[in-house]
Amino acid sequence: MRLVILDEYNLASEWAAKYIRNRIVQFMPGPDKFFTLGLPTGSTPLGCYKKLIEYHTSGDISFKYVKTFNMDEYVGLPRDHPESYHSYMWNNFFKHIDIDPANAHILDGNAPDLQKECEAFEQKLRSWGIDLFVGGIGPDGHIAFNEPGSSLVSRTRVKTLAKDTIVANARFFGNDLSKVPTMTLTVGVGTVMDAREVMILITGAHKAFALYKAIEEGVNHMWTVSAFQQHPRTIFVCDEDATLELRVKTVKYFKGLMHVHNKLVDPLHSMKDYKN
Ligand code: GLP
């Protein structure tokens, strides 16, 4: 596991975006070789998406041969509702880049058969395999919508939201609890564990306890993000505030490795230089 600690949110977002850019560019995607990227929603990844859009605009990266798979979606919220994850992804990311809409996969929370929808999504993920799954967490340590107590080998499925999550998400629905959807479709912990690589973004003091549970204590289904201790390639990208509950020793240890980690985000030649 790598723990990358940046001073503040914007720097953490930039680091994450550069990492994604480098991974895609190094992969050299093409019509017969798509890069597959798992993506989260929430406020945390917004800065990272903004930076990726900048890299796209400056010609450093193309998403033409990238397939994306989103982690989750609310059940029953119209697709064009401003708070649906479809709207979020299109408004904050996809409409600003050159991704083919057919390559942007988001679970359909209005599918007539939700179970079938989940199975088909899981099947797609399995057949493509995810090169890099980017995730975020809730303050209770949930990844995607894998709430406390979710099976750590779970797959894509219908999920009822925990009260804490409904309360946390109420800010997106005019602070009206009755407007927050109570059911979602979500990839499972096991689904994300299958990715070749996982990058989890954790910023803010309100996530500090979750980061502590994620990396300094054992694997525990009450803190589903802790499952990634058992993934061979996980990077946690966080800001200083998120490290507040970690031991000083842990923070010093990982900060001491920053010169190594920073090599991963060194500028690469732009994608145009890689055209064959
Ligand atoms: C929701 C999403 C998660 C996301 C979490 C954190 O629960 N399902 O995928 O990681 O919110 O959101 P934020 O980044 O706004 O704290």
Side-chain angles (χ1 to χ4, degrees):
M1 177 205 75
R2 296 179 198 269
L3 175 67
V4 174
I5 305 169
L6 285 306
D7 285 352
E8 44 91 26
Y9 172 80
N10 288 324
L11 295 173
S13 302
E14 186 177 0
W15 199 98
K18 283 181 174 168
Y19 188 82
I20 297 169
R21 176 200 65 191
N22 283 12
R23 273 283 174 260
I24 295 175
V25 172
Q26 283 164 332
F27 187 88
M28 290 191 265
D32 303 319
K33 192 185 167 204
F34 277 76
F35 186 88
T36 48
L37 183 63
L39 293 175
T41 54
S43 47
T44 313
L46 285 173
C48 172
Y49 290 144
K50 225 168 117 199
K51 279 281 160 198
L52 284 172
I53 294 165
E54 270 175 46
Y55 303 150
H56 170 65
T57 310
S58 60
D60 287 337
I61 185 173
S62 164
F63 293 86
K64 192 158 176 227
Y65 299 118
V66 174
K67 283 185 190 286
T68 62
F69 292 86
N70 264 80
M71 297 193 121
D72 41 21
E73 177 58 290
Y74 290 116
V75 168
L77 207 59
R79 184 182 280 235
D80 58 0
H81 186 286
E83 293 305 333
S84 80
Y85 288 172
H86 273 82
S87 300
Y88 172 103
M89 288 310 296
W90 285 98
N91 294 333
N92 294 307
F93 192 35
F94 294 151
K95 77 174 181 199
H96 307 284
I97 58 171
D98 60 344
I99 192 162
D100 177 346
N103 290 329
H105 303 272
I106 305 180
L107 282 152
D108 179 1
N110 293 295
D113 185 336
L114 295 173
Q115 189 57 36
K116 259 200 187 135
E117 170 68 11
C118 292
E119 281 162 19
F121 195 80
E122 182 76 29
Q123 193 44 47
K124 256 187 281 179
L125 281 166
R126 264 185 209 212
S127 60
W128 281 98
I130 296 291
D131 292 306
L132 174 61
F133 222 129
V134 183
I137 64 163
D140 61 0
H142 73 249
I143 178 145
F145 271 126
N146 294 286
E147 303 280 28
S150 292
S151 158
L152 299 184
V153 293
S154 50
R155 317 304 308 193
T156 306
R157 67 209 185 289
V158 185
K159 208 60 189 119
T160 305
L161 290 184
K163 186 72 190 288
D164 279 359
T165 307
I166 296 174
V167 172
N169 289 352
R171 66 190 196 278
F172 301 118
F173 294 86
N175 286 316
D176 182 348
L177 284 185
S178 70
K179 294 213 170 92
V180 188
T182 54
M183 308 256 289
T184 65
L185 304 184
T186 180
V187 295
V189 181
T191 317
V192 184
M193 284 289 283
D194 283 351
R196 291 175 194 106
E197 196 173 0
V198 178
M199 180 166 71
I200 299 170
L201 314 178
I202 306 181
T203 56
H206 63 304
K207 305 255 176 97
F209 197 68
L211 179 60
Y212 152 68
K213 284 285 186 182
I215 70 169
E216 283 193 343
E217 291 213 340
V219 173
N220 185 329
H221 61 179
M222 295 310 285
W223 298 85
T224 53
V225 65
S226 65
F228 294 90
Q229 289 177 20
Q230 296 199 318
H231 190 282
R233 290 186 72 172
T234 301
I235 304 185
F236 288 95
V237 181
C238 63
D239 62 0
E240 280 281 344
D241 285 350
T243 68
L244 287 173
E245 298 283 350
L246 298 182
R247 291 189 182 92
V248 174
K249 192 166 83 174
T250 306
V251 174
K252 279 202 166 161
Y253 170 74
F254 285 105
K255 280 197 169 170
L257 289 169
M258 276 310 281
H259 66 287
V260 179
H261 295 152
N262 281 339
K263 289 207 173 69
L264 300 168
V265 295
D266 274 351
L268 292 169
H269 295 296
S270 76
M271 205 135 174
K272 2 182 220 301
D273 300 329
Y274 277 101
K275 290 265 159 62
N276 34 28

